[in-house]
């Protein structure tokens, strides 16, 4: 079954980092920017703007996030079974209650999509793996992922990968500026 | 996009025009707000810095990304610098407006204009004497020239202080001296802020914030106050008068001319021109019943206060006024004029006429006004309006409401006159608890908040609690449109305030002017504090800017707090990215200047905050809460 | 179709999941003497150091296997009759199979010592080992940890956290000799030397253990003795496959397999620690007894077992050495070929950035073959990908090396992870 996902079109990214800030806000306890930045354990963004190089050698921002691979190498590397497929269909979601912060998932992830921070959902642990959860909470409420909502340039879209391919829009979620092919 | 227009504004004229705009496919400020959202989170928190091109830089408020700009500035410094520049811009706007009036006064003094005269020579002499200009044996022109020169010196720092500094109570000046925030010159403080916020100058957030206070005080007791006082001298000191407000002031069969912006200099000339019999005849020849002049925003307030010219609406009504299809020309000077007006006007026969070389709009018609040609230029613009009237499409005209009445013109002189010449009756009423306190509800509109909702409801709630409300700028129009500016509104006030209002025949909400006229409010506070022998921060007074949007409002809020006046904002300024600056604004300033900011968008809760402050201050003065 | 999965740990469980996904109607039988409990063995180190509460380690496995429709046999495999396609259990029962997966894992490598205390040496492999160690843990007591590899590291950390003084005895001249490069190995050694309660003894072996009062007296190779309350050895693992030796599979240190993970015995596949699969970097069969390899092999084996007719499942690209351990407030990570014994003649790119991170990329013939780092976990994932895909070092943009904290990921357009998308 196909699931809607966040499609990244790095050629449209201007590097404003709105996606990152709104992502952290959406994953905060209070969900409001004005209060989220005062929370005792700060929420962390799950999308990051990496510095890439386009084929012409020009520095370009690259919005980088979890691709929710299937099969997912991070999930195969996760010893306590903290990366779960049963929280939201089609998404690989870290269960902070199970994560031990060992680092194996990031070792297995080729995309630099998993980071380690003190997580407000597991405050008793010093670090927990933090990655995109496809905003499944927001999706349940009929909202689209926060990063997509924040994107002003169309570099992030929420849709079906297949339809996107049909549209011939070129680059997919896997696309990266940094490849010098 | 399918929001009910009732969500946008409490005003029926606004709702009707929004609907018309939608039908006619015209974009408004609300549409653009939706397109902009979500806004930049870094900027919202004040965490982006564009002050140099080692950057631009952003600080990650969630702690995983960069915590310092390229130069090394942290969140506190960046927020404080950004805030400082906002205050500087706001103070610059008020003060440059003030300078234009001083130049006009100077031109009168030098005899370089026939168009402008001294309308209130009594005030001229009074103010001149107050600021130490020797008037002995001088005629009005000579006094005007000397006073103008005295004020010019305030802009630089040739006096090393401000002319009106003696209006500040002694205790307040001691506070300023203690923290080094006594303003030295209007322009100087603004320029120094620009200097300090350059990379590598002032890198201490507290020091920057203190200078922000100093810049704003240069605005409040300098630029703005000079603008107010000179406007009174040249165009007359306002006295109470009744007029009308809302889009219903436009007349279907008249040539409708609106004046918009902030300065009375151009608009007063337009006001004279529309009464010219020749032009009236031309209008009639064009098929109109006459020429109708109305105001928008603060230019509108200037004319309303002094001449009783009706008021079409505030900031968020400016586009909507054009959408009536009945406006021939909007003549603008400067500040708060949305660039979109040109595009909206282009959807109709309407024209936007710019008048100042510092405020040109691409697509508008520019008619440069100066002291020596103003009257002629005003006639030219009125003729342009009459020409435009011929192109009006009556089928597209919709004036959606009947106007409501409002009373305006409460300059401090007028208030004191109403009180019988001194502030004592007001002090007595405050002591007796009939008027428990005074709140200045000022500021703008902001499409992020339901238009006029917060301002109107807060004012209504305050008068219920026997708190006398003073309004300026857009907030005055918000309350006026709902009838609060009429003496009859005393019925909605608490029993004490109602009694005082009925006795004096005044409304419970007093319109004291445009946004530079907030200087009247701090002047009045100074008078009250001096009469009581206390500091302004001891008075049972507060301020609020419920729907503010502009940098000028930041400067006003800052000088209110620096004067010791607790100030409630409807929207948070972009400082939340710094815990230090936020803490200072919300708490820390109490120990420095005796007042803080609060942020509250709910009008009832905002009134509650004001009430609490007034209770505290009344208790401290041994008055009933 | 009946699949029998022998051993229900990382590889076996992964295989059960993928068998079910690939063949919803098939019969799956899982064989494991400890089939009732579900846990990840490596997590015992997190229990030892107190990071994970003991009760969180083991869960009832019944719901997991029930959901997958796996029939459980709580028994040990003792023999295999490949001709009759029968698995023989210790209960005497014979179990018929169409395809069988050998996923019986590995056992800790035993240390051979003289003396009557030799049997008191503990190991650190599973739940039972953990229980045995915890029974001997004595706050204020002394423990000897034999072996300077990752297990020795985790043991040292855990025992210190439990209040013991630890003598870490390492045969090599520095700890982690096999796992990381010299820089990181020395860095870790230095941290251990600074650490209270740890005595790092390099180039040291134990030759004898005697019961001495409540504890043990160890005799070292230099003749000196150490009295300790507890001895734990972490000296690597040995694949477990003796139970199918009769069927005659090709073996070396572990079971040898083809690139579909089938052993030389028809319809008998193997996955996990029991397997000595081809190593991507070394290009020869090597033991890489780590969790992610086991899970991946379980998946690949399952998909090949379930492949119908001439169709084949995905080819197994090979195993890879890879490890991350959180230690001394950072992550110490390595992937591929980093052992200095093998990296002679290789080129290196070393990059450091602020906040103490370190990254050393090993290049052989222009191809990335390994990487080791500190505080560089997320980036090591990309390098692991680079190693797997034999990425040429010329394809790493200079920018990436210059700015390892913020650079965009190396992974490009090609989905590298070519597991078949079952059901997609």
């Amino acid at each position: 079954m196909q699931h809607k996902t966040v499609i990244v079109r790095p050629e449209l990214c201007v590097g404003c980092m709105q996606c990152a800030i709104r992502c952290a806000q959406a994953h905060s306890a209070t969900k409001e920017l004005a209060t989220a930045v005062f929370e005792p354990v700060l929420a962390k963004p799950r999308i990051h703007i990496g510095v890439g190089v386009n084929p012409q050698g020009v520095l370009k921002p690259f919005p980088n996030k979890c691709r929710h691979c299937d099969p997912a190498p991070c999930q195969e590397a996760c010893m306590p079974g903290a990366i779960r497929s049963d929280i939201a269909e089609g998404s690989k979601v870290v269960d902070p209650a199970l994560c031990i912060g060992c680092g194996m998932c990031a070792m297995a992830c080729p995309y630099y999509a998993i980071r380690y921070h003190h997580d407000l959902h597991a405050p008793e642990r010093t670090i927990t793996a933090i990655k995109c959860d496809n905003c499944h909470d927001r999706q349940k409420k009929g909202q689209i992922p926060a990063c997509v909502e924040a994107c002003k340039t169309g570099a992030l879209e929420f849709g079906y990968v297949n339809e996107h391919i049909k549209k011939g829009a070129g680059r997919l979620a896997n696309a990266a500026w940094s490849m010098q092919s | 996009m399918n929001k009910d227009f009732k969500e946008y504004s409490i005003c029926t004229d606004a709702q009707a025009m929004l609907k018309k705009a939608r039908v006619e496919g015209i974009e408004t400020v609300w549409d653009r707000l939706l397109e902009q959202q979500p806004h930049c989170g870094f900027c919202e928190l004040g965490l982006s810095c564009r002050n140099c091109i080692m950057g631009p830089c952003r600080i990650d408020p969630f702690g995983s990304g960069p915590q310092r700009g390229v130069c090394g500035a942290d969140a506190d410094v960046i927020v404080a610098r950004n805030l400082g520049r906002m205050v500087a811009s706001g103070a610059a706007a008020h003060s440059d407006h003030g300078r234009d009036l001083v130049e006009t006064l100077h031109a009168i003094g030098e005899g370089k204009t026939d168009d402008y005269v001294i309308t209130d020579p009594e005030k001229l002499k009074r103010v001149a004497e107050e600021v130490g200009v020797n008037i002995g044996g001088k005629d009005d022109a000579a006094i005007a020239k000397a006073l103008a020169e005295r004020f010019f010196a305030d802009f630089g720092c040739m006096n090393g202080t401000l002319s009106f500094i003696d209006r500040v109570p002694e205790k307040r000046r001691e506070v300023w001296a203690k923290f080094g925030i006594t303003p030295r010159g209007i322009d100087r403080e603004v320029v120094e802020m620009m200097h300090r916020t350059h990379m590598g100058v002032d890198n201490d957030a507290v020091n920057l914030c203190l200078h922000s206070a100093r810049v704003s005080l240069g605005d409040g007791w300098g630029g703005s106050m000079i603008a107010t006082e000179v406007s009174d001298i040249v165009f007359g000191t306002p006295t109470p008068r009744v007029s009308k407000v809302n889009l219903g002031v436009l007349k279907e069969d008249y040539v409708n001319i609106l004046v918009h912006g902030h300065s009375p200099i151009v608009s007063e000339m337009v006001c004279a021109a529309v009464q010219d019999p020749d032009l009236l005849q031309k209008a009639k020849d064009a098929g109109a019943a006459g020429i109708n002049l109305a105001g928008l925003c603060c230019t509108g307030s200037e004319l309303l206060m002094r001449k009783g010219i009706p008021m079409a609406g505030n900031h968020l009504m400016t586009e909507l006024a054009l959408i009536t299809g009945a406006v021939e020309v909007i003549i603008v000077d400067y500040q708060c004029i949305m660039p979109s007006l040109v595009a909206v006007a282009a959807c109709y026969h309407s024209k936007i006429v710019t008048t100042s070389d510092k405020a040109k709009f691409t697509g508008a018609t520019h008619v440069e006004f100066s002291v020596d040609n103003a009257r002629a230029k005003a006639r030219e613009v009125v003729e342009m309006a009459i020409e435009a009237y011929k192109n009006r499409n009556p089928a597209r005209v919709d004036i959606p409401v009947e106007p409501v009445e409002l009373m305006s013109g409460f300059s401090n002189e007028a208030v004191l006159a109403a009180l019988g010449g001194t502030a004592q009756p007001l002090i007595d009423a405050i002591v007796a608890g009939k008027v428990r306190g005074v709140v200045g509800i000022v500021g703008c509109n902001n499409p992020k908040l339901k238009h006029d909702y917060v301002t109107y409801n807060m004012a209504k709630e305050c008068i219920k609690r026997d708190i006398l409300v003073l309004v300026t700028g857009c907030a005055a129009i918000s309350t006026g449109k709902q009838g609060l500016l009429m003496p009859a509104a005393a019925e909605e006030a608490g029993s004490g305030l109602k009694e005082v209002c009925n006795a004096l025949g005044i409304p419970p909400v007093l319109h004291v002017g445009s946004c530079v006229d907030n200087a009247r409010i701090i002047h009045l506070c100074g008078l009250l504090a001096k009469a009581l022998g206390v500091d302004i921060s001891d008075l049972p007074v507060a301020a609020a800017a419920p729907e503010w949007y502009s940098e000028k409002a930041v400067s006003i809020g800052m000088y209110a707090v620096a004067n010791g006046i607790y100030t409630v904002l409807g929207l948070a300024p972009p400082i939340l990215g710094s815990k230090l600056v936020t803490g200072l604004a919300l708490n820390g300033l109490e120990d420095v200047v005796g007042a803080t900011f609060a942020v509250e968008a709910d009008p009832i809760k905002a009134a509650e905050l004001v009430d609490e402050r007034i209770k505290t201050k009344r208790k401290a003065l041994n008055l009933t809460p | 179709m009946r699949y029998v999965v022998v051993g229900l740990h990382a590889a076996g469980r992964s295989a059960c999941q993928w068998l079910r996904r690939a063949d919803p109607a098939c019969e799956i039988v899982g064989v494991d003497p400890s089939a009732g409990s579900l846990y990840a063995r490596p997590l015992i180190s997190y229990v030892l150091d107190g990071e994970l509460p003991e009760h969180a380690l083991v869960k009832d496995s019944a719901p997991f296997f029930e959901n997958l429709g796996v029939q459980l046999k709580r028994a040990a495999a003792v023999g295999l009759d490949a001709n009759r396609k029968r698995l023989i259990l210790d209960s005497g029962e014979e179990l018929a199979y169409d395809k069988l997966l050998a996923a019986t894992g590995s056992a800790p490598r035993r240390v051979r010592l003289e003396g009557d205390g030799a049997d008191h040496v503990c190991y650190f492999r599973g739940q039972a080992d953990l229980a045995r160690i915890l029974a001997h843990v004595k706050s204020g007591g002394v423990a000897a940890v034999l072996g300077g590899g990752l297990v020795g590291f985790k043991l040292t950390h855990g025992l210190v956290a439990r209040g013991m003084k630890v003598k870490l005895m390492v045969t090599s001249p520095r700890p982690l000799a096999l796992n990381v490069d010299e820089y990181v190995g020395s860095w870790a050694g230095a941290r251990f030397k600074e650490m209270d309660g740890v005595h790092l003894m390099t180039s040291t072996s134990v030759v004898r253990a005697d019961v001495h009062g409540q504890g043990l007296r160890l005799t070292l190779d230099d003749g000196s003795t150490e009295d300790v309350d507890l001895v734990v050895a972490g000296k690597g693992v040995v694949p477990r496959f003796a139970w199918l030796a009769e069927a005659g599979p090709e073996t070396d240190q572990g079971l040898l397999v083809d690139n579909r993970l089938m052993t030389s015995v028809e319809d008998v596949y193997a996955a996990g620690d029991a397997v000595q699969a081809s190593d991507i970097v070394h290009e020869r069969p090597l033991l890489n007894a780590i969790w992610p390899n086991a899970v991946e092999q379980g998946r690949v084996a399952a998909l090949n077992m379930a492949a119908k007719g001439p169709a084949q499942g995905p080819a197994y690209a090979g195993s890879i050495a890879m490890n991350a351990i959180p230690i001394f407030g950072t992550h110490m990570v390595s992937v591929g070929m980093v052992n200095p014994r093998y990296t002679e003649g290789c080129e290196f790119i070393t990059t450091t950035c602020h906040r103490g991170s370190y990254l050393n990329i090993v290049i052989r013939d222009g191809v990335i073959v390994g990487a080791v780092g500190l505080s560089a976990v997320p980036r090591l994932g990309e390098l692991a990908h680079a190693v797997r895909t034999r990425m040429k070092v010329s394809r790493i943009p200079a920018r990436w090396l210059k700015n390892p904290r913020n650079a965009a990921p190396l992974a490009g357009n090609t989905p590298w992870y070519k597991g078949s998308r079952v059901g997609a």
Side-chain angles (χ1 to χ4, degrees), chain A residues 69-88:
Chain A
C69 309
D70 184 34
C74 59
Q75 196 171 29
E76 296 199 332
C78 181
M79 300 183 292
I83 299 181
R84 294 171 54 183
S85 302
D86 57 347
I87 291 179

Side-chain angles (χ1 to χ4, degrees), chain A residues 15-16 18 22 43-44 152, chain B residues 35 39-41 44 58 62:
Chain A
C16 71
Q18 282 309 305
R22 296 301 171 187
K44 296 291 178 221
K152 307 306 302 166
Chain B
E35 280 183 1
H39 282 107
C40 170
E44 225 172 274
R58 285 149 297 176
F62 292 103

Side-chain angles (χ1 to χ4, degrees), chain B residues 410-451:
Chain B
F410 291 95
S411 58
N412 287 346
E413 289 85 344
V415 171
L416 293 179
L419 294 169
T422 74
Q424 198 54 44
L426 178 58
I427 292 169
D428 293 344
I430 290 173
V431 169
K434 287 179 185 169
V435 175
R436 292 177 48 245
V438 181
V439 61
I441 300 181
V442 306
C444 334
N445 293 146
N446 188 320
K448 289 178 176 173
L449 297 172
K450 192 197 285 191
H451 170 232

Side-chain angles (χ1 to χ4, degrees), chain B residues 443-464:
Chain B
C444 334
N445 293 146
N446 188 320
K448 289 178 176 173
L449 297 172
K450 192 197 285 191
H451 170 232
D452 285 356
Y453 170 81
V454 193
T455 301
Y456 162 62
N457 284 289
M458 184 181 177
K460 201 167 90 168
E461 185 63 24
C462 285
I463 60 171
K464 256 189 219 163

Side-chain angles (χ1 to χ4, degrees), chain B residues 197-380:
Chain B
T197 53
H198 187 281
M199 204 299 274
V201 185
D202 197 352
N203 288 297
D204 181 83
V206 174
N207 205 42
L208 279 162
C209 289
L210 286 173
H211 188 65
S212 287
R214 173 145 62 175
V215 174
S216 72
L217 290 170
D219 172 1
W221 297 95
S224 282
M225 197 167 274
I226 288 171
T228 295
E229 300 297 47
V230 177
S231 294
D232 285 358
I233 291 166
V234 175
F235 300 110
T237 303
T239 52
R241 59 188 74 231
V242 173
S243 183
K244 290 187 170 162
V245 65
N246 77 25
L247 289 185
V249 304
L250 298 173
K251 293 182 185 168
E252 200 165 345
D253 48 351
Y254 278 63
V255 173
N256 287 307
I257 298 174
L258 294 176
V259 284
H260 179 15
H262 282 75
S263 166
I265 298 176
V266 166
S267 50
E268 283 278 353
M269 291 300 117
V270 177
C271 187
V274 295
Q275 291 158 28
D276 185 301
D278 289 352
L279 290 173
L280 277 171
Q281 190 53 50
K282 278 193 179 166
K284 283 181 180 148
D285 294 346
I291 304 172
N292 181 40
L293 179 68
L296 286 167
C297 289
C298 284
T299 291
S301 268
E302 297 281 348
L303 290 192
L304 173 60
M305 287 281 286
R306 297 197 179 87
K307 299 280 190 306
I309 296 297
M311 169 64 74
N314 49 13
H315 174 53
L316 288 184
M317 295 302 297
T318 55
E319 289 176 325
L320 302 183
L322 286 169
I323 287 164
T324 59
V327 175
E328 273 60 51
V329 167
I330 299 183
I331 302 162
V332 305
D333 42 74
Y334 38 62
Q335 297 171 20
C336 302
I337 299 145
M338 286 194 270
S340 62
L341 290 186
V342 176
V344 179
C347 300
Y348 300 93
H349 68 296
S350 316
K351 287 196 165 11
I352 307 296
V353 174
T354 54
T355 57
S356 164
D357 64 350
K358 57 188 152 206
K360 291 188 178 176
F361 290 59
T362 305
T365 309
H366 188 68
V367 178
E368 182 83 35
F369 276 59
S370 64
V371 284
D372 52 4
N373 69 6
R375 222 165 266 276
K377 289 292 173 185
R379 289 176 53 93
E380 192 181 316

